[in-house]
Amino acid sequence: MSGRLIAVSNRVAIPRDGQASGGLAVGVLAALKEHGGIWFGWDGKTTDSEPHDARVVDDGNISYATINLNRTEFDAYYNGFSNETLWPLFHFLLGFFKYDRHNFESYLRVNALFARKLKPLLEPTDVIWIHDYHLIPLAAELRRAGVTQPIGFFLHVPFPGYDVLRALPVHEHLLRCLCAYDVVGFHTQRDLRSFQECIAQPGIGGHILSDGRIRAGGRMFRADVFPIGIEVEDCGSLAHAHRDNPEVKLLRDSLMGRRMIIGVDRLDYSKGLPERFHAYERLLQHYPDNRRNVVLLQIAPPTRTGIRTYNEIREELEGIAGRINGRYAQIDWVPVRYLNRGYDRGMLMAMYREARVGLVTPVRDGMNLVAKEYVAAQDPDDPGVLVLSTLAGAAFELEQAVLVNPYDTDGVAAGIQTALEMSLAERRERHSAMIATLQRNDINAWRSRFIEALRHGHEGEQHD
Ligand code: ADQ
C-alpha cells in the first residue's frame, strides 16, 4: 500500500528561503518529500471570529495546509491544557502542574476543529502521522468523523508512569484517545513501559499481546520505540562551514584561549537551567583553577511567554547569572555569558564546535536533540565532551557521555571537571562511539521506521 503522507502538528514549520531547519521539521519534511502529501496545523495566528478553513500553499509535492484559531480557545487549549497541564505532568514536574476543566474542554474542541478542517483534504490511500501532546484526541475525532485510514501518533515528550499520570483527572479519557491510533511511538523503552502500565489499568483494560501489540477499546494497535535522530553529517559540515563566520570569530577571539562550556536550550523549567547555573557556580567554588580559565555560554531564547511560570524562570536565571558574575567576575573575565536569543543553525553548530564541553542537563526530557547536535558538530580530531543528564531520553543512546544527575549539584560540577580534564585519546574514543550510534539511528531512520510501522501495522490489523 502506498499513498500520501499527511503530517499533523500544532504548528507547521514552513521552510523559509535560505534558512536551515532543525529537529522534527527536518524529519517531517524529508518524509513528506519522499511520499508527497500535506503538512497540516495551526498557522500561528489567532482571531476573535470563527477560524477559517485550511489555507493551502503548494510547494512541489508538498502542500502546507494551515488554520487559525479563536484567541480565547487557543489560550485555553495551548497555554492552558497543553502547556500548564500536560507539559509539566509528562515531565514528572507536578509542582508546575495545573488542571482546569474548562481548559480541557477547549483542548477537546480544538482537536475536533482540527479533525473537521483536515477531513475534507484526505484521500482514501493517505496515511496520517500526528505529532505530540497537543493532539492526543485527534485520531478519536477523525475516527468519529468516519476516517478509516491508518493514523499514527508520536509523542515527543516523556510518558509518565501511572502514579504520575493519574494526578490528571481525565487521564482515562486521554488513554482511551491513544487507543484510537494504529501506531503510538515513544522515544525510549522506559516511556513505552510506562504507557503499557497505564493501558493495562482496570479502567482501560488493555491487553499486551506476546508480539507487543495492544488490544484495547475494541481495537488492536501497536506501541513501540522510535528514538528521534538528527542529520549527523549535516551538523558536522555546517559547523565546519561556519567556523570563519565573523560572529564565530568574534566569540573565539573573545575567549582568549579560555575553554568554553556551552548550554543551548529553550528557556523552559524542564531544561534544568537554574540547577545548571548552581552546578557551574559549584565548579568555580570547588575547582578554583577554573576561575579566569572557563566561560559558560548559555543560549536560551524565551518560549511560551504567555505563561507566567516561563517569565518567572527567566527572572530567576537572570538573578543567578548576575550573582555568579557579581561574585566571581574580574576586570577581564565574566564567568557566565547568558544570551536570550535564537541563532541560525550554521552559527549554532559552529558555536557547539568551539565549546570544549556541551552541558545538557534537563531535569526531564523526551530525547534532547541539542545533546546529539553537540556531538555531531565536533571536530573528530579534537572533540569536546558531552555532559548529559541521565533524565534525558538521549542518555539511553549516548552512553559514552559523562552522565550526571541534574539534581546533584556537586555531581554535575564534578562531571564538568572530568570533561575539562579528559585526555585527547579518551575524548576521541568516546566521540567516535557516539557518532557511530548517531549514524545508525539518524533522522531518516526515525521517520522511515515510523512510516513503515504505520503502513505495515495497518495492513496487519485488516487481517486480524
Ligand atoms: P525541545 O524541548 O524543543 O523538543 P530539543 O530536543 O533540545 O528540545 O530540540 C530543540 C531544537 O531547537 C534543537 O534542534 C536546537 O538546535 C534548537 N534550538 C534550541 N535553542 C536554539 C537557539 N537558541 N537557536 C537556534 N536553535 C535552537 C521536544 C522535546 C525533546 C525532543 C524534541 C524532538 O522536548 O525532548 O528531543 O522535541 O522530539
Side-chain angles (χ1 to χ4, degrees), residues 156 187 266 271 299 301 341 343 365-369 373:
H156 289 265
H187 282 307
R266 282 184 306 101
K271 302 294 182 185
I299 299 172
R341 52 164 287 198
Y343 282 93
D365 220 326
M367 175 55 72
N368 196 297
L369 294 177
E373 292 165 355

Side-chain angles (χ1 to χ4, degrees), residues 9 59 64 121 137 216 330 449 456:
S9 57
D59 181 11
Y64 299 92
L121 308 179
Q330 295 181 18
R449 276 192 60 228
H456 177 76

Side-chain angles (χ1 to χ4, degrees), residues 22-24 87 91 132 154-158 187 228 264-266 270-271 299-301 304 341-345 348-349 352 365-371 373 446:
L24 155 76
W87 178 269
H91 286 85
D132 233 357
F154 187 79
L155 185 70
H156 289 265
V157 296
H187 282 307
I228 196 169
V264 175
D265 311 76
R266 282 184 306 101
S270 67
K271 302 294 182 185
I299 299 172
R304 302 178 191 167
R341 52 164 287 198
Y343 282 93
D344 81 50
R345 225 167 147 66
L348 198 60
M349 298 303 143
Y352 287 145
D365 220 326
M367 175 55 72
N368 196 297
L369 294 177
V370 169
E373 292 165 355
W446 172 72

Side-chain angles (χ1 to χ4, degrees), residues 71-343:
R71 200 179 315 276
T72 318
E73 202 80 314
F74 167 77
D75 192 48
Y77 144 78
Y78 182 78
N79 289 330
F81 193 74
S82 298
N83 287 326
E84 288 191 312
T85 301
L86 292 182
W87 178 269
L89 181 75
F90 281 17
H91 286 85
F92 301 65
L93 297 168
L94 289 179
F96 294 94
F97 170 76
K98 291 181 185 154
Y99 175 73
D100 178 330
R101 183 178 288 210
H102 302 292
N103 289 347
F104 177 58
E105 285 159 6
S106 286
Y107 176 78
L108 293 179
R109 276 197 300 275
V110 169
N111 272 270
L113 177 85
F114 264 59
R116 272 202 312 282
K117 304 285 184 189
L118 175 60
K119 185 164 180 250
L121 308 179
L122 297 176
E123 292 175 2
T125 55
D126 287 343
V127 297
I128 305 163
W129 188 8
I130 295 168
H131 291 267
D132 233 357
Y133 60 100
H134 316 84
L135 299 175
I136 290 172
L138 185 49
E141 291 295 344
L142 287 167
R143 298 281 182 231
R144 198 166 296 135
V147 171
T148 54
Q149 288 90 328
I151 312 180
F153 177 78
F154 187 79
L155 185 70
H156 289 265
V157 296
F159 196 85
Y162 184 62
D163 257 335
V164 172
L165 189 75
R166 71 198 182 92
L168 178 68
V170 291
H171 65 277
E172 286 188 358
H173 188 125
L174 287 190
L175 288 169
R176 271 187 227 108
C177 286
L178 284 166
C179 298
Y181 287 93
D182 295 292
V183 177
V184 178
F186 302 96
H187 282 307
T188 69
Q189 282 291 343
R190 197 165 293 268
D191 299 312
L192 174 63
R193 278 205 299 276
S194 299
F195 177 67
Q196 290 171 334
E197 180 204 4
C198 293
I199 284 293
Q201 294 302 315
I204 305 298
H207 291 283
I208 292 129
L209 308 186
S210 54
D211 62 5
R213 284 182 306 159
I214 295 175
R215 191 193 297 278
R219 298 184 75 254
M220 188 85 86
F221 66 102
R222 193 178 150 196
D224 213 337
V225 177
F226 304 88
I228 196 169
I230 56 166
E231 287 182 298
V232 186
E233 273 71 37
D234 197 54
C235 292
S237 47
L238 274 174
H240 184 70
H242 286 76
R243 73 179 302 280
D244 290 327
N245 170 312
E247 239 184 312
V248 177
K249 275 175 114 168
L250 196 63
L251 169 66
R252 195 180 306 130
D253 292 347
S254 73
L255 289 171
M256 298 200 305
R258 295 181 174 113
R259 287 175 301 175
M260 180 166 82
I261 302 167
I262 195 167
V264 175
D265 311 76
R266 282 184 306 101
L267 219 174
D268 191 295
Y269 51 80
S270 67
K271 302 294 182 185
L273 294 167
E275 292 82 354
R276 184 180 309 169
F277 279 15
H278 290 310
Y280 177 66
E281 185 173 24
R282 193 66 54 88
L283 176 85
L284 299 178
Q285 263 169 6
H286 287 191
Y287 307 93
D289 286 352
N290 289 311
R291 296 181 200 164
R292 299 182 70 89
N293 290 320
V294 296
V295 168
L296 171 64
L297 176 66
Q298 177 63 54
I299 299 172
T303 50
R304 302 178 191 167
T305 45
I307 302 175
R308 206 178 59 197
T309 328
Y310 284 78
N311 301 325
E312 285 169 0
I313 186 179
R314 183 176 180 167
E315 279 174 27
E316 183 186 354
L317 278 172
E318 281 165 6
I320 307 173
R323 191 168 45 78
I324 299 173
N325 284 341
R327 185 160 169 199
Y328 289 103
Q330 295 181 18
I331 205 151
D332 59 347
W333 172 62
V334 177
V336 182
R337 299 185 190 178
Y338 174 44
L339 306 177
N340 278 142
R341 52 164 287 198
Y343 282 93

Side-chain angles (χ1 to χ4, degrees), residues 2-8 12 28-41 55-66 118 121-123 125-129 451 455:
S2 70
R4 298 184 311 172
L5 173 67
I6 311 300
V8 188
V12 175
V28 172
L29 280 172
L32 283 167
K33 251 178 218 146
E34 183 179 333
H35 302 275
I38 303 176
W39 192 343
F40 181 93
R55 293 201 170 124
V56 182
V57 176
D58 297 323
D59 181 11
N61 65 345
I62 305 178
S63 302
Y64 299 92
T66 51
L118 175 60
L121 308 179
L122 297 176
E123 292 175 2
T125 55
D126 287 343
V127 297
I128 305 163
W129 188 8
I451 292 169
R455 292 196 196 282

Side-chain angles (χ1 to χ4, degrees), residues 348-369:
L348 198 60
M349 298 303 143
M351 290 196 288
Y352 287 145
R353 203 180 180 113
E354 292 298 319
R356 170 54 66 86
V357 178
L359 193 51
V360 181
T361 53
V363 291
R364 196 66 69 161
D365 220 326
M367 175 55 72
N368 196 297
L369 294 177

